[in-house]
Amino acid sequence: SQTIHQWPATLVQPVGSPLSLECTVEGTSNPNLYWYRQAAGRGLQLLFYSVGIGQISSEVPQNLSASRPQDRQFILSSKKLLLSDSGFYLCAWRPGQINTGELFFGEGSRLTVL
Amino acid sequence: DAKTTQPTSMDCAEGRAANLPCNHSTISGNEYVYWYRQIHSQGPQYIIHGLKNNETNEMASLIITEDRKSSTLILPHATLRDTAVYYCIVSPGNAGNMLTFGGGTRLMVKP
């Protein structure tokens, strides 16, 4: 069966520090991968999505970047965090070849920038 | 993606049916209606989706109007664990598309 993991679960970072959130999917190949962010009390904002290795599409310009170095690995990064980067970050995947209608989410990473 | 309009919040008594409406008057012919829910501090969970026919699974029923401009998610017997934010999303059915989440409806199931 397919599983998705993301880490770390929580982190507190100072303004200006770097960020790296990692997400991996197991039990499937060539998935579509997504990074969402949810600010406190807000809806989900799509940040990046990827349909294949090295293929990244950005939905919202900001100081974040994403990379997909391997088929089932998706990384969210920042060189210098801003206070506004605080939020709940969610990685998700769906099958790349067929649309089952279902997007599978990870457990989330809660980031607090101080 | 077509936009959706949902009430900000709703209450429902435990054991009763919860009917969550969604308006999507600009939906295109190739766009599906998806429903997800998000329990506090967790990732969203898929509930159901449909194109034009009504759908039912173990979690809920989805009723889509004939003109497809609106739909209703029905939780037949709401429990306290159904308290969550429910998102209605419309999106094309091709595999490569992404889902855009709006504000959703905050459903509070009360004892």
Side-chain angles (χ1 to χ4, degrees), chain A residues 99-101, chain B residues 18-20 31-35 46-66 68 70-76:
Chain A
N99 183 9
T100 64
Chain B
N19 297 288
L20 293 97
E31 289 183 315
Y32 287 71
V33 180
Y34 298 86
W35 281 86
Y46 166 84
I47 302 174
I48 199 168
H49 78 286
L51 184 61
K52 50 184 175 181
N53 296 324
N54 297 337
E55 302 287 344
T56 295
N57 62 20
E58 65 279 3
M59 290 182 68
S61 294
L62 173 60
I63 308 299
I64 303 174
T65 58
E66 191 169 343
R68 303 212 318 127
S70 65
S71 61
T72 301
L73 179 75
I74 301 173
L75 308 179

Short mmCIF file of all heavy atoms in Angstrom, two decimals, chain A residues 99-101, chain B residues 18-20 31-35 46-66 68 70-76:
data_model
loop_
_atom_site.label_atom_id
_atom_site.label_comp_id
_atom_site.label_asym_id
_atom_site.label_seq_id
_atom_site.Cartn_x
_atom_site.Cartn_y
_atom_site.Cartn_z
N ASN A 99 -6.56 9.51 -12.91
CA ASN A 99 -7.15 10.37 -11.90
C ASN A 99 -8.18 9.58 -11.11
O ASN A 99 -9.28 9.31 -11.60
CB ASN A 99 -7.81 11.59 -12.55
CG ASN A 99 -8.38 12.53 -11.53
OD1 ASN A 99 -8.15 12.39 -10.33
ND2 ASN A 99 -9.15 13.51 -11.98
N THR A 100 -7.82 9.18 -9.90
CA THR A 100 -8.76 8.47 -9.04
C THR A 100 -9.63 9.44 -8.27
O THR A 100 -10.53 9.03 -7.57
CB THR A 100 -8.01 7.59 -8.04
OG1 THR A 100 -7.23 8.44 -7.18
CG2 THR A 100 -7.09 6.61 -8.75
N GLY A 101 -9.36 10.73 -8.38
CA GLY A 101 -10.12 11.73 -7.65
C GLY A 101 -9.59 12.00 -6.27
O GLY A 101 -10.06 12.89 -5.58
N ALA B 18 -26.21 15.71 8.01
CA ALA B 18 -25.58 17.01 7.73
C ALA B 18 -25.59 17.21 6.22
O ALA B 18 -25.10 16.36 5.48
CB ALA B 18 -24.15 17.03 8.26
N ASN B 19 -26.18 18.31 5.80
CA ASN B 19 -26.27 18.63 4.37
C ASN B 19 -25.43 19.88 4.10
O ASN B 19 -25.79 20.97 4.52
CB ASN B 19 -27.72 18.89 3.96
CG ASN B 19 -28.57 17.66 4.15
OD1 ASN B 19 -28.46 16.69 3.42
ND2 ASN B 19 -29.43 17.69 5.16
N LEU B 20 -24.34 19.70 3.39
CA LEU B 20 -23.43 20.80 3.14
C LEU B 20 -23.55 21.24 1.68
O LEU B 20 -23.22 20.48 0.77
CB LEU B 20 -21.99 20.40 3.44
CG LEU B 20 -21.70 20.14 4.92
CD1 LEU B 20 -21.77 18.66 5.25
CD2 LEU B 20 -20.34 20.69 5.28
N GLU B 31 -15.22 19.34 -15.74
CA GLU B 31 -14.80 19.51 -14.34
C GLU B 31 -15.63 18.64 -13.40
O GLU B 31 -16.86 18.60 -13.47
CB GLU B 31 -14.90 20.97 -13.92
CG GLU B 31 -13.82 21.84 -14.58
CD GLU B 31 -13.85 23.27 -14.13
OE1 GLU B 31 -14.95 23.85 -14.06
OE2 GLU B 31 -12.76 23.82 -13.84
N TYR B 32 -14.92 17.97 -12.52
CA TYR B 32 -15.53 17.15 -11.49
C TYR B 32 -15.76 18.00 -10.23
O TYR B 32 -15.10 19.02 -10.01
CB TYR B 32 -14.63 15.98 -11.12
CG TYR B 32 -14.55 14.88 -12.16
CD1 TYR B 32 -13.90 15.07 -13.37
CD2 TYR B 32 -15.14 13.64 -11.93
CE1 TYR B 32 -13.83 14.08 -14.31
CE2 TYR B 32 -15.06 12.63 -12.86
CZ TYR B 32 -14.41 12.86 -14.06
OH TYR B 32 -14.34 11.86 -14.99
N VAL B 33 -16.63 17.50 -9.38
CA VAL B 33 -16.84 18.09 -8.06
C VAL B 33 -16.20 17.16 -7.04
O VAL B 33 -16.52 15.97 -6.99
CB VAL B 33 -18.34 18.26 -7.73
CG1 VAL B 33 -18.50 18.88 -6.35
CG2 VAL B 33 -19.03 19.12 -8.79
N TYR B 34 -15.27 17.70 -6.26
CA TYR B 34 -14.57 16.93 -5.23
C TYR B 34 -14.94 17.49 -3.85
O TYR B 34 -15.11 18.69 -3.68
CB TYR B 34 -13.05 17.05 -5.39
CG TYR B 34 -12.49 16.54 -6.68
CD1 TYR B 34 -12.42 17.35 -7.82
CD2 TYR B 34 -11.98 15.25 -6.77
CE1 TYR B 34 -11.89 16.88 -9.00
CE2 TYR B 34 -11.44 14.78 -7.96
CZ TYR B 34 -11.40 15.60 -9.07
OH TYR B 34 -10.87 15.14 -10.25
N TRP B 35 -15.01 16.58 -2.90
CA TRP B 35 -15.20 17.00 -1.50
C TRP B 35 -14.10 16.39 -0.65
O TRP B 35 -13.81 15.19 -0.73
CB TRP B 35 -16.57 16.55 -0.98
CG TRP B 35 -17.70 17.43 -1.44
CD1 TRP B 35 -18.39 17.32 -2.61
CD2 TRP B 35 -18.27 18.52 -0.74
NE1 TRP B 35 -19.36 18.29 -2.68
CE2 TRP B 35 -19.31 19.04 -1.54
CE3 TRP B 35 -18.01 19.13 0.50
CZ2 TRP B 35 -20.09 20.12 -1.15
CZ3 TRP B 35 -18.78 20.21 0.88
CH2 TRP B 35 -19.81 20.69 0.06
N TYR B 46 -9.82 12.90 1.62
CA TYR B 46 -10.77 12.78 0.51
C TYR B 46 -12.07 12.16 1.01
O TYR B 46 -12.06 11.21 1.81
CB TYR B 46 -10.15 11.91 -0.57
CG TYR B 46 -11.11 11.42 -1.64
CD1 TYR B 46 -11.44 12.20 -2.73
CD2 TYR B 46 -11.68 10.14 -1.54
CE1 TYR B 46 -12.30 11.74 -3.71
CE2 TYR B 46 -12.54 9.68 -2.52
CZ TYR B 46 -12.84 10.48 -3.60
OH TYR B 46 -13.70 10.01 -4.57
N ILE B 47 -13.20 12.69 0.52
CA ILE B 47 -14.49 12.10 0.87
C ILE B 47 -15.14 11.43 -0.34
O ILE B 47 -15.44 10.24 -0.32
CB ILE B 47 -15.45 13.17 1.43
CG1 ILE B 47 -14.86 13.85 2.65
CG2 ILE B 47 -16.81 12.55 1.77
CD1 ILE B 47 -15.68 15.02 3.16
N ILE B 48 -15.34 12.20 -1.40
CA ILE B 48 -16.10 11.70 -2.53
C ILE B 48 -15.92 12.64 -3.71
O ILE B 48 -15.51 13.80 -3.52
CB ILE B 48 -17.59 11.56 -2.14
CG1 ILE B 48 -18.35 10.63 -3.07
CG2 ILE B 48 -18.25 12.94 -2.07
CD1 ILE B 48 -19.74 10.25 -2.52
N HIS B 49 -16.19 12.18 -4.91
CA HIS B 49 -16.21 13.08 -6.05
C HIS B 49 -17.19 12.56 -7.09
O HIS B 49 -17.57 11.38 -7.06
CB HIS B 49 -14.81 13.25 -6.67
CG HIS B 49 -14.35 12.11 -7.53
ND1 HIS B 49 -13.92 10.90 -7.00
CD2 HIS B 49 -14.21 12.00 -8.87
CE1 HIS B 49 -13.56 10.11 -7.99
NE2 HIS B 49 -13.72 10.74 -9.13
N GLY B 50 -17.61 13.45 -7.99
CA GLY B 50 -18.56 13.05 -9.03
C GLY B 50 -18.52 14.03 -10.19
O GLY B 50 -18.01 15.15 -10.07
N LEU B 51 -19.09 13.60 -11.31
CA LEU B 51 -19.13 14.43 -12.50
C LEU B 51 -20.54 14.99 -12.71
O LEU B 51 -20.74 16.20 -12.73
CB LEU B 51 -18.70 13.64 -13.73
CG LEU B 51 -18.62 14.42 -15.04
CD1 LEU B 51 -17.59 15.54 -14.94
CD2 LEU B 51 -18.27 13.48 -16.20
N LYS B 52 -21.51 14.11 -12.86
CA LYS B 52 -22.89 14.59 -13.00
C LYS B 52 -23.90 13.67 -12.34
O LYS B 52 -24.99 14.10 -11.97
CB LYS B 52 -23.25 14.79 -14.47
CG LYS B 52 -22.96 13.62 -15.38
CD LYS B 52 -23.28 14.02 -16.82
CE LYS B 52 -22.88 12.91 -17.79
NZ LYS B 52 -23.16 13.30 -19.20
N ASN B 53 -23.52 12.42 -12.13
CA ASN B 53 -24.43 11.51 -11.44
C ASN B 53 -24.22 11.60 -9.93
O ASN B 53 -23.13 11.95 -9.47
CB ASN B 53 -24.19 10.07 -11.88
CG ASN B 53 -24.50 9.88 -13.35
OD1 ASN B 53 -25.42 10.48 -13.88
ND2 ASN B 53 -23.71 9.04 -14.01
N ASN B 54 -25.26 11.30 -9.18
CA ASN B 54 -25.12 11.25 -7.73
C ASN B 54 -24.21 10.09 -7.36
O ASN B 54 -24.21 9.04 -8.02
CB ASN B 54 -26.50 11.10 -7.08
CG ASN B 54 -27.40 12.28 -7.37
OD1 ASN B 54 -26.92 13.38 -7.68
ND2 ASN B 54 -28.70 12.07 -7.29
N GLU B 55 -23.45 10.27 -6.30
CA GLU B 55 -22.50 9.26 -5.87
C GLU B 55 -22.69 8.97 -4.39
O GLU B 55 -23.07 9.86 -3.63
CB GLU B 55 -21.06 9.71 -6.13
CG GLU B 55 -20.73 10.04 -7.57
CD GLU B 55 -20.63 8.82 -8.46
OE1 GLU B 55 -20.52 7.70 -7.92
OE2 GLU B 55 -20.65 8.99 -9.70
N THR B 56 -22.39 7.75 -4.02
CA THR B 56 -22.47 7.36 -2.60
C THR B 56 -21.32 6.43 -2.29
O THR B 56 -20.99 5.56 -3.09
CB THR B 56 -23.80 6.65 -2.29
OG1 THR B 56 -24.88 7.58 -2.48
CG2 THR B 56 -23.85 6.18 -0.85
N ASN B 57 -20.71 6.63 -1.13
CA ASN B 57 -19.73 5.67 -0.63
C ASN B 57 -19.95 5.50 0.86
O ASN B 57 -20.97 5.94 1.41
CB ASN B 57 -18.30 6.11 -0.98
CG ASN B 57 -17.90 7.44 -0.35
OD1 ASN B 57 -18.51 7.88 0.62
ND2 ASN B 57 -16.89 8.06 -0.92
N GLU B 58 -19.00 4.87 1.52
CA GLU B 58 -19.18 4.55 2.94
C GLU B 58 -19.15 5.80 3.83
O GLU B 58 -19.57 5.76 4.97
CB GLU B 58 -18.12 3.55 3.40
CG GLU B 58 -16.69 4.09 3.36
CD GLU B 58 -16.06 4.02 1.98
OE1 GLU B 58 -16.76 3.61 1.03
OE2 GLU B 58 -14.89 4.38 1.87
N MET B 59 -18.66 6.89 3.29
CA MET B 59 -18.55 8.10 4.10
C MET B 59 -19.73 9.04 3.90
O MET B 59 -20.19 9.69 4.85
CB MET B 59 -17.27 8.86 3.77
CG MET B 59 -15.99 8.18 4.23
SD MET B 59 -14.55 9.17 3.86
CE MET B 59 -14.77 10.55 4.98
N ALA B 60 -20.16 9.20 2.64
CA ALA B 60 -21.12 10.25 2.35
C ALA B 60 -21.81 10.01 1.02
O ALA B 60 -21.47 9.09 0.28
CB ALA B 60 -20.39 11.60 2.30
N SER B 61 -22.78 10.87 0.75
CA SER B 61 -23.44 10.91 -0.56
C SER B 61 -23.23 12.29 -1.17
O SER B 61 -23.18 13.29 -0.45
CB SER B 61 -24.94 10.64 -0.42
OG SER B 61 -25.18 9.32 0.02
N LEU B 62 -23.12 12.30 -2.48
CA LEU B 62 -22.95 13.56 -3.21
C LEU B 62 -24.10 13.69 -4.18
O LEU B 62 -24.31 12.82 -5.04
CB LEU B 62 -21.62 13.56 -3.96
CG LEU B 62 -21.35 14.73 -4.91
CD1 LEU B 62 -21.37 16.05 -4.15
CD2 LEU B 62 -20.03 14.55 -5.64
N ILE B 63 -24.84 14.77 -4.03
CA ILE B 63 -25.97 15.05 -4.91
C ILE B 63 -25.60 16.25 -5.78
O ILE B 63 -25.32 17.33 -5.25
CB ILE B 63 -27.26 15.37 -4.11
CG1 ILE B 63 -27.53 14.28 -3.07
CG2 ILE B 63 -28.44 15.54 -5.06
CD1 ILE B 63 -27.76 12.90 -3.65
N ILE B 64 -25.60 16.05 -7.08
CA ILE B 64 -25.26 17.12 -8.03
C ILE B 64 -26.51 17.48 -8.80
O ILE B 64 -27.19 16.60 -9.33
CB ILE B 64 -24.14 16.67 -8.99
CG1 ILE B 64 -22.90 16.24 -8.20
CG2 ILE B 64 -23.78 17.80 -9.96
CD1 ILE B 64 -21.79 15.64 -9.05
N THR B 65 -26.84 18.77 -8.87
CA THR B 65 -28.04 19.18 -9.59
C THR B 65 -27.89 18.89 -11.08
O THR B 65 -26.78 18.75 -11.60
CB THR B 65 -28.31 20.67 -9.39
OG1 THR B 65 -27.16 21.42 -9.84
CG2 THR B 65 -28.58 20.99 -7.93
N GLU B 66 -29.02 18.83 -11.75
CA GLU B 66 -29.01 18.45 -13.16
C GLU B 66 -28.19 19.44 -14.01
O GLU B 66 -27.51 19.04 -14.96
CB GLU B 66 -30.44 18.36 -13.69
CG GLU B 66 -30.55 17.72 -15.06
CD GLU B 66 -31.98 17.41 -15.44
OE1 GLU B 66 -32.85 17.38 -14.54
OE2 GLU B 66 -32.22 17.19 -16.64
N ARG B 68 -25.70 21.02 -12.92
CA ARG B 68 -24.35 20.92 -12.34
C ARG B 68 -23.86 22.21 -11.72
O ARG B 68 -22.68 22.35 -11.43
CB ARG B 68 -23.34 20.44 -13.39
CG ARG B 68 -23.68 19.13 -14.02
CD ARG B 68 -22.49 18.29 -14.43
NE ARG B 68 -21.43 19.05 -15.04
CZ ARG B 68 -20.17 19.00 -14.64
NH1 ARG B 68 -19.81 18.26 -13.62
NH2 ARG B 68 -19.25 19.72 -15.26
N SER B 70 -24.66 23.36 -8.79
CA SER B 70 -24.53 23.25 -7.35
C SER B 70 -24.54 21.78 -6.94
O SER B 70 -24.94 20.90 -7.73
CB SER B 70 -25.65 24.00 -6.62
OG SER B 70 -26.90 23.40 -6.89
N SER B 71 -24.09 21.53 -5.73
CA SER B 71 -24.08 20.17 -5.22
C SER B 71 -24.25 20.21 -3.71
O SER B 71 -24.11 21.26 -3.07
CB SER B 71 -22.78 19.45 -5.59
OG SER B 71 -21.66 20.11 -5.06
N THR B 72 -24.58 19.05 -3.15
CA THR B 72 -24.74 18.91 -1.71
C THR B 72 -24.05 17.65 -1.24
O THR B 72 -24.25 16.57 -1.82
CB THR B 72 -26.23 18.84 -1.32
OG1 THR B 72 -26.90 20.02 -1.76
CG2 THR B 72 -26.39 18.71 0.20
N LEU B 73 -23.23 17.80 -0.23
CA LEU B 73 -22.62 16.65 0.42
C LEU B 73 -23.49 16.27 1.60
O LEU B 73 -23.85 17.14 2.41
CB LEU B 73 -21.21 16.98 0.90
CG LEU B 73 -20.49 15.85 1.62
CD1 LEU B 73 -20.02 14.80 0.60
CD2 LEU B 73 -19.31 16.36 2.42
N ILE B 74 -23.84 15.01 1.69
CA ILE B 74 -24.70 14.55 2.78
C ILE B 74 -23.95 13.54 3.63
O ILE B 74 -23.49 12.51 3.14
CB ILE B 74 -25.99 13.91 2.23
CG1 ILE B 74 -26.76 14.93 1.38
CG2 ILE B 74 -26.86 13.41 3.38
CD1 ILE B 74 -27.96 14.34 0.67
N LEU B 75 -23.83 13.86 4.92
CA LEU B 75 -23.35 12.89 5.91
C LEU B 75 -24.60 12.35 6.59
O LEU B 75 -25.25 13.08 7.34
CB LEU B 75 -22.43 13.58 6.92
CG LEU B 75 -21.26 14.39 6.37
CD1 LEU B 75 -20.47 15.02 7.51
CD2 LEU B 75 -20.37 13.53 5.50
N PRO B 76 -24.99 11.11 6.35
CA PRO B 76 -26.32 10.65 6.75
C PRO B 76 -26.57 10.64 8.26
O PRO B 76 -27.67 10.92 8.69
CB PRO B 76 -26.39 9.24 6.16
CG PRO B 76 -24.99 8.84 5.88
CD PRO B 76 -24.23 10.09 5.62
#
